[in-house]
Amino acid sequence: MYRPSEPDRQALRLETRFERPRSRGGSLLDFLPAAEPETDPEKPSAASPAPVAPVEPGRLRLSEYFPGLSLLGDLGVDDIVAWLRDGRRWIVMALVLCIGGALGYAMMATPRYTVYTDIVVDPANLNVVSDDVFMSNPQRDAQLLEVESRLRTLTSRNVLKRVIDKLRLTEDAEFVKPTPLSALFALFSSEDAKAGKELAAMRALSERVEARREERSFVVVLKVWSEEPAKAVMLADAIVSAFEAELFQSAAESAGRVAQNLNGRLDELRQSVTEAEKKVEEFRRANGLLSANGELVSNQLSSELNTQVLQAQQRFIQAETRYKQMSAAIAQGQTASASIFESADMTNLRQQYNALQQQIGSMQLTYGERHPRLAAARSERTTLEAAIRGEAQRIAERAKGDFDRERSALNALRAKASDEKSNVFTDNEAQVHLRDLEREARTKAAVYETHLARAQQITERQQIDTSNIRVISSAMPPESRSWPPRTIILLIAGAVFGLVGGVSMALALGLWRYVRGHQPAAG
């Protein structure tokens, strides 16, 4: 390909200042509008050469180092094609190197097999105990924070330490890479070597474990990878089991601390309750406050005496009334007909009197008023009336004795009730302070019983796992490795990367030669 010399290019650029013909396959600046001609007579014309500024001694212009900088606007497709043709060996070399590197990486890279386990971490624990130690917050933000906290526990060192101990990963070459000097170090410091293996296994396992929570859900996805598919599944299952055990142990330890604090407090509460109850009994004994069925004996005795006084008063009133009625009947001479006089003798006498009265009435009708038999009957009637009056008098005397006895009993009961009432007032005043002491003792006893029941409940709570963790998708052995990708994909990626790198290198070298003024050979 013919390329004009530098002066010809300068003349061509000056001639085409006002119009730009499209040549050399089309320049990138051909699509720009041509500059307007200058009409100022005082300025030099476009055809006249521009004045050259004098160069100071000891200073060089940038165009002397890069003479092609002023010609960048004339770059065309032919130049780029020429650069690519001149740099084809770099393109081929980069392509071969990248493909070879991709093939080598595919053959030598350690394979990774990734498994996934979906776990539902419900922040609301199982409601096994009605009044549990741990409280659940119904607010969604708080529940999400609880899930995030448990998510951090899933990948914590405590859980990974359980997995390392269970699967003996310190003896697994995948997690603890043996070194030539490791056996020698083990001879001198076995403890340090063991700690170093545990630390190395912990770091290796933590790099292979990842957990994240699905958005807008309580589902946690556990991601575990290993160099063997079966080992990846075994690691995932061991991590889930260790996670459940860690949550249970954490809850049990928290409940144990609460129970321990409560048990330490129980001795003080028990002693306080005993002292309060002793004060109650000592005060009761000192003031003679005997109680039966929850009531003071003095109150019960006073109540019984009041009842007896009422009963005695009723008997007294009855005896008084009966005696007065008898006295009135005797004063009025109605002893024979008054029903108040009741006795066996009085009944017999009244029957005899009534029979004799009937005989007298018959005799009067039969014999007349002066018959001797009638007179004898009337004499017998007088005798019976005297006997009835005597019997009525004896009954009245007995009634008076009953009346006097009931009055004496009533007065005695009233005096006794009055004395007992003063005792009741004294006991009631003492009982005010006694109730205060009993109230204090009951309060302390209630607190003690609450703490005792709570301590026993929390002690039993340590043996119950209430964490609501469920595996909804167990880890399955993967069908293919997750890293590195398939060999064909690596080869394609290496080819694309090599091609892009080779073309970029060829274009960069061509551009460098162009701005330095080195022209490619004509084609």
Side-chain angles (χ1 to χ4, degrees), residues 46 119 162 367 438:
I119 309 171
R162 291 175 181 267
Y367 301 110
E438 289 177 343

Side-chain angles (χ1 to χ4, degrees), residues 137-410:
N137 197 325
Q139 296 183 358
R140 181 171 179 81
D141 294 340
Q143 292 178 347
L144 292 178
L145 290 177
E146 178 68 19
V147 175
E148 292 291 342
S149 300
R150 296 188 179 184
L151 175 63
R152 182 63 185 86
T153 305
L154 180 59
T155 57
S156 62
R157 292 188 182 91
N158 290 344
V159 174
L160 299 183
K161 181 67 168 55
R162 291 175 181 267
V163 176
I164 292 173
D165 295 339
K166 180 180 179 180
L167 302 181
R168 303 178 65 181
L169 298 183
T170 55
E171 301 176 4
D172 194 338
E174 179 182 348
F175 294 90
V176 181
K177 304 295 183 181
T179 59
L181 299 179
S182 59
L184 181 61
F185 291 155
L187 294 176
F188 295 99
S189 56
S190 58
E191 296 295 333
D192 295 342
K194 182 179 179 181
K197 288 183 179 181
E198 291 181 354
L199 183 59
M202 180 71 69
R203 291 176 178 174
L205 183 58
S206 61
E207 293 175 356
R208 289 166 168 76
V209 177
E210 181 182 351
R212 59 179 176 84
R213 181 181 63 85
E214 293 290 341
E215 187 177 0
R216 301 179 65 83
S217 69
F218 296 149
V219 178
V220 174
V221 180
L222 174 64
K223 174 183 175 183
V224 182
W225 67 268
S226 179
E227 297 178 4
E228 300 176 6
K231 186 182 292 186
V233 175
M234 182 174 58
L235 287 174
D237 294 340
I239 290 174
V240 173
S241 300
F243 173 55
E244 294 176 348
E246 180 65 22
L247 289 181
F248 172 67
Q249 181 179 356
S250 177
E253 289 178 354
S254 299
R257 287 194 299 269
V258 176
Q260 183 179 2
N261 294 333
L262 287 177
N263 290 328
R265 179 66 177 156
L266 284 178
D267 294 335
E268 300 178 3
L269 293 176
R270 186 184 300 109
Q271 183 177 0
S272 177
V273 171
T274 303
E275 293 178 356
E277 292 179 348
K278 285 182 178 180
K279 290 181 180 179
V280 171
E281 295 301 326
E282 290 175 357
F283 184 82
R284 191 190 301 274
R285 187 182 303 110
N287 292 272
L289 301 177
L290 300 179
S291 61
N293 298 326
E295 187 178 0
L296 290 177
V297 175
S298 59
N299 291 336
Q300 295 180 358
L301 183 58
S302 177
S303 178
E304 292 177 0
L305 287 175
N306 290 332
T307 303
Q308 293 177 7
V309 167
L310 292 176
Q311 294 175 356
Q313 188 173 3
Q314 291 178 357
R315 291 192 303 268
F316 170 75
I317 292 174
Q318 292 175 359
E320 183 182 13
T321 303
R322 186 167 177 265
Y323 174 69
K324 288 181 178 180
Q325 290 177 354
M326 288 180 181
S327 298
I330 293 173
Q332 296 174 3
Q334 298 177 356
T335 56
S337 61
S339 61
I340 193 65
F341 300 101
E342 295 292 338
S343 68
D345 294 339
M346 179 65 74
T347 302
N348 189 17
L349 292 173
R350 285 178 176 176
Q351 290 177 356
Q352 293 177 10
Y353 181 80
N354 293 331
L356 185 60
Q357 281 287 99
Q358 292 177 359
Q359 291 178 4
I360 291 174
S362 299
M363 288 180 181
Q364 287 178 349
L365 295 175
T366 303
Y367 301 110
E369 294 290 337
R370 297 187 178 188
H371 193 274
R373 296 183 62 182
L374 180 61
R378 288 177 175 173
S379 177
E380 185 179 356
R381 184 179 64 180
T382 303
T383 303
L384 286 175
E385 290 178 351
I388 290 174
R389 286 195 298 272
E391 182 64 22
Q393 190 67 35
R394 287 192 297 270
I395 293 175
E397 290 177 357
R398 288 199 300 269
K400 185 177 184 303
D402 294 340
F403 169 67
D404 294 337
R405 186 172 58 254
E406 293 296 335
R407 181 171 56 188
S408 300
L410 177 61

Side-chain angles (χ1 to χ4, degrees), residues 102-103 105-107 109-112 480-493:
L103 181 60
Y105 182 78
M107 297 175 61
T110 302
R112 295 183 181 181
S480 60
R481 64 190 183 189
S482 58
W483 186 264
R486 299 171 59 184
T487 305
I488 185 64
I489 297 177
L490 285 177
L491 293 178
I492 294 174

